[in-house]
Amino acid sequence: MALVAPATSQVQGTVIEPSGRPVSGVVVEAWVGGQTVESVQTDEQGRFTISGRAQVSGAVFLSFRGMGYRTRTMALPSQDSRLQVVLEAAPLALAPVIVSAAPRRLCPNVENSRARMLWERMRSRYWPEHADTVFIFGFHEVRRGTGTKQELDQAETGRSSRGWTTSALVTAPPWAMARSGYATPAAGGAGERTAFWNYRALDFGQMQDFTGTYFGQAHTFALLQAGPTEMMISFCPRSRQPLVGQIEGVLRLSGDTILANARWAFRTPRPDEDAGGEASYYQPESATGRALLAHQTRFWRKTTGGRYYFERHEFVDWRRWSR
């Protein structure tokens, strides 16, 4: 049975792996009656302190959440406690990457009125353009590296970093997008990112690309699948641009016209590289301004020797910034 914690109680501890290695960046939250009363993050040595500044009464529970680890919840064992919490590894559950997610022959470039209507309905469920800026923050893990096509879906591949990320939700104006497109010629490169094109990071935290006016203006929509629980819409550029890159791909909508997943391939003037990405999304919530917020995103681009540069991003605990 959990204890009733007075306002002066304090909990200190360390979060470690089964091997004893400290785990940094773990979100530690104190919960009372279904509400978070305090939230902290472990330091580089895995240490944390719950100060007990909040006035609480009732059973207190602690939760421990870290990317790549199983979430653990426990009742507060006593007042002024010192804890050692062991988190078990849980590799990121990422769906397999399909590098050819948006095949080159996907686009019929035929406008379908029903597909357009579904896109408009989906768009209306999210944070609207020209609304006041919504500031959000969340916990973020990114993995970067190079590999073969077969290695791209291995969650543990690449260098990992994690931490909080902050964003101001924006939708790029149509005139700016028409000028820059979705890819621009690179002036040069460095290391494994040497390439001929710089690619737009679609829906990476602060962007609302698939609900924006330019996206609707620049693409035709065709209905690939329609059912009670899932609909799939292909999007294709209306015309090729000689100086900037474009995208084509598929949007997967749930039965209530919420965007569940997007996959795309970049189409550029020569050299047309094998580059693309995909994203999965959270349900829109009023607490975050009904923003289109990514859960996981991927990006890949072919480099040399049949290998690919890739980035995998995962976002959790999106919140609205209150000022």
Side-chain angles (χ1 to χ4, degrees), residues 99 104 183-186 192-199 246 265-276 299-304 308:
V99 174
R104 294 177 184 271
T184 54
E192 58 197 16
R193 294 218 57 168
T194 298
F196 295 100
W197 295 92
N198 289 320
Y199 298 96
Q246 298 160 298
F266 290 96
R267 296 292 174 250
T268 64
R270 291 184 178 181
D272 189 358
E273 301 170 321
D274 185 355
F299 167 78
W300 59 82
R301 174 176 60 201
K302 195 171 185 178
T303 55
T304 58
Y308 288 80

Side-chain angles (χ1 to χ4, degrees), residues 109 111 116 216-221 236-240 246:
N109 271 325
E111 177 76 7
R116 172 71 57 173
Q217 293 175 347
H219 296 90
T220 61
F221 297 132
C236 308
R238 291 184 181 274
S239 60
R240 297 296 184 186
Q246 298 160 298

Side-chain angles (χ1 to χ4, degrees), residues 109-190:
N109 271 325
V110 176
E111 177 76 7
N112 178 274
S113 60
R114 187 180 178 192
R116 172 71 57 173
M117 178 193 69
L118 289 171
W119 177 77
E120 291 284 1
R121 186 177 298 172
M122 178 272 288
R123 180 191 187 202
S124 70
R125 296 185 178 276
Y126 294 93
W127 178 75
E129 291 181 274
H130 313 303
D132 291 339
T133 301
V134 177
F135 293 92
I136 57 172
F137 67 98
F139 199 68
H140 172 221
E141 176 168 350
V142 58
R143 287 186 180 273
R144 299 182 176 90
T146 59
T148 64
K149 280 188 177 183
Q150 291 72 28
E151 293 171 334
L152 292 182
D153 62 349
Q154 297 178 15
E156 294 303 312
T157 303
R159 302 184 305 275
S160 175
S161 61
R162 60 184 67 174
W164 291 100
T165 181
T166 58
S167 297
L169 297 179
V170 297
T171 302
W175 63 265
M177 284 299 302
R179 178 185 301 176
S180 64
Y182 293 95
T184 54

Side-chain angles (χ1 to χ4, degrees), residues 17 23 31-32 43 49 60 74 107 113-114 137-138 143 147 160 166 171 203 224 226 239 262 278 286 289 294 312 323:
E17 292 182 342
V23 184
W31 290 75
V32 177
D43 63 16
T49 299
V60 179
M74 63 171 61
C107 279
S113 60
R114 187 180 178 192
F137 67 98
R143 287 186 180 273
S160 175
T166 58
T171 302
D203 279 347
L224 299 181
S239 60
E278 67 174 303
S286 58
R312 302 189 193 92
R323 295 188 298 173

Side-chain angles (χ1 to χ4, degrees), residues 8-65:
T8 57
S9 66
Q10 186 178 78
V11 180
Q12 295 180 328
T14 305
V15 179
I16 62 173
E17 292 182 342
S19 65
R21 187 180 73 87
V23 184
S24 63
V26 173
V27 178
V28 184
E29 294 179 328
W31 290 75
V32 177
Q35 299 291 325
T36 305
V37 295
E38 191 167 351
S39 178
V40 298
Q41 193 172 351
T42 58
D43 63 16
E44 293 183 355
Q45 284 73 47
R47 298 173 300 195
F48 69 91
T49 299
I50 296 290
S51 67
R53 289 189 299 271
Q55 296 290 327
V56 301
S57 84
V60 179
F61 293 85
L62 300 180
S63 72
F64 302 83
R65 294 183 291 105

Side-chain angles (χ1 to χ4, degrees), residues 286-301:
S286 58
T288 50
R290 293 191 297 115
L292 177 62
L293 295 177
H295 176 213
Q296 298 172 344
T297 66
R298 302 172 185 267
F299 167 78
W300 59 82
R301 174 176 60 201

